[in-house]
């Protein structure tokens, strides 16, 4: 499958390498490919780079930070129409320092905002409840844990769930429509606090049911 | 240990019976003991009832609903001074129907509000991330899962953690000071959504780490 990933932070390259290892054709988008290539850490990332507006794929993955997600997706433009967009982002507001608060929550979510602004996309919230190390290697935790999927289009949720399964996820919990993104995004403050206490990002929750 | 529970909904009697079975002396408080005794469902609950202002104990457990928590605790008055108060409540706002939103979140929490209003108490957030059936019988889920504890007084957290252990909890995750209650309370929208999808309240999360 042709997959385009928006964002060259930690999440984008990690997902890109794992999805390429699973047999997909992956391109990563950035605002300025030449500037990104010049960064030291990019030398180790062997994935094609394109500017956002040049991305074309069957599935897009938003791996930008929350505040930059809408402009990044808007920069892709018409190529997003009808496509599955997997949103991994979190509405983290670090303006008051650590720990972050959320810049949207409770009666709305970042994923719902993106879906409203980009109504032609089939947006799915997934991957936002864990660190990139866990996204691409769930088995390393030593016990099964849970990944969540939410979105208004059941077929899009299934596409995302299948990609998760290819990465090793054995418990993909379908939460239904995109209003579930409120809960998934509001979980982040608990994740951040657990991260502080555990002292490393390699953890996740398992829904025992 | 002498334990007083505020609240005669589902949580209070469930915790009361389990803690009495563990060997504690338990009293439950309500605004109006005679009115509560007259309710059909109370006939099955064989625990002493007292008005809030008559409660006296080493440990108090707030099992009232979120909106009623401050007035209930204030009604106990000076008896709370210096005591461990385990706050199980959630800031659920059902005024717009189901699913509920939270009436405080993100940069503050209900537990922090209660601690500020009742500075002489040693408040601990615990039990709010699960249904009462799970609080008192964690082993019934078939796999270990996690209960969280947060509060500004380490000894109070330890007292609460010990009570959880007596109820069968094997993984009590100490999240540190009471600002962690933000994450614990903001987890509720995800809990509510999982409850809707699972269709029963007997579930919990395990932190795999």
């Amino acid at each position: 499958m042709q997959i385009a990933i928006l964002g060259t932070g930690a999440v984008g390259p990690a997902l890109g390498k794992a999805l390429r290892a699973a047999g997909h054709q992956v391109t990563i988008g950035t605002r300025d490919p030449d500037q990104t290539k010049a960064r030291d850490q990019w030398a180790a990332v062997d994935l094609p780079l394109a500017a956002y507006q040049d991305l074309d794929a069957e599935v897009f993955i938003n791996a930008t930070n929350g505040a930059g997600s809408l402009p990044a997706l808007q920069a892709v433009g018409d190529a997003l129409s009808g496509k599955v967009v997997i949103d991994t982002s979190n509405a983290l507001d670090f303006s008051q320092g650590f720990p972050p608060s959320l810049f949207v929550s409770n009666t709305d979510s970042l994923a719902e905002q993106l879906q409203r602004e980009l109504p032609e996309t089939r947006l799915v919230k997934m991957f936002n409840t864990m660190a990139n190390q866990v996204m691409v290697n769930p088995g390393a935790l030593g016990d099964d844990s849970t990944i969540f999927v939410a979105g208004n289009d059941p077929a899009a949720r299934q596409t995302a769930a299948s990609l998760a399964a290819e990465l090793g996820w054995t418990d993909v919990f379908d939460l239904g429509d995109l209003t579930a993104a409120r809960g998934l995004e509001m979980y982040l403050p608990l994740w951040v606090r657990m991260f502080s206490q555990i002292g490393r990002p390699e953890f996740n929750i398992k829904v025992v049911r």
Side-chain angles (χ1 to χ4, degrees), chain A:
Chain A
M1 185 183 282
Q2 194 78 26
I3 298 174
I5 298 176
L6 289 74
T8 55
V11 172
L15 283 175
K17 283 189 277 190
L19 290 167
R20 196 165 62 160
H24 299 285
Q25 289 82 49
V26 179
T27 306
I28 299 199
T30 175
R31 274 169 298 184
D32 183 340
D34 290 334
Q35 193 274 342
T36 300
K37 271 179 205 159
R39 280 192 260 144
D40 283 350
Q41 69 267 36
W42 193 258
V45 181
D46 183 26
L47 288 165
L49 273 174
Y52 288 145
Q53 62 271 23
D54 297 328
L55 288 174
D56 188 20
E58 297 168 67
V59 170
F60 290 80
I61 300 178
N62 173 38
T64 67
N65 69 65
S69 294
L70 182 59
L73 286 163
Q74 286 174 325
V76 180
D78 290 344
L80 288 179
S81 185
K83 301 298 172 61
V84 174
V85 175
I86 298 173
D87 174 35
T88 77
S89 69
N90 278 299
L92 297 175
D93 175 2
F94 287 95
S95 64
Q96 305 301 312
F98 191 90
S101 59
L102 302 182
F103 62 75
V104 57
S105 67
N106 206 9
T107 55
D108 198 5
S109 63
L110 179 55
E112 290 170 280
Q113 290 182 337
L114 296 173
Q115 181 67 88
R116 283 198 301 272
E117 294 290 332
L118 303 160
E120 302 302 315
T121 67
R122 300 151 70 207
L123 198 135
V124 176
K125 193 89 195 181
M126 193 170 78
F127 288 126
N128 77 299
T129 57
M130 65 197 67
N132 69 81
Q133 297 92 331
V134 178
M135 295 178 193
V136 300
N137 194 9
L141 296 183
D143 191 2
D144 289 342
S145 63
T146 304
I147 190 168
F148 301 95
V149 61
N152 295 335
D153 183 313
R157 295 202 302 270
Q158 186 51 52
T159 296
S162 295
L163 289 173
E166 291 178 30
L167 296 178
W169 288 93
T170 53
D171 183 24
V172 184
F173 192 152
D174 189 333
L175 289 176
D177 73 52
L178 201 57
T179 57
R182 298 174 197 180
L184 292 175
E185 296 179 9
M186 291 170 81
Y187 164 72
L188 255 287
L190 178 57
W191 185 93
V192 169
R193 187 62 169 238
M194 291 195 286
F195 172 57
S196 293
Q197 298 295 104
I198 295 171
R200 53 180 169 76
E202 294 87 359
F203 68 90
N204 190 28
I205 56 172
K206 171 185 184 174
V207 182
V208 180
R209 58 201 192 272

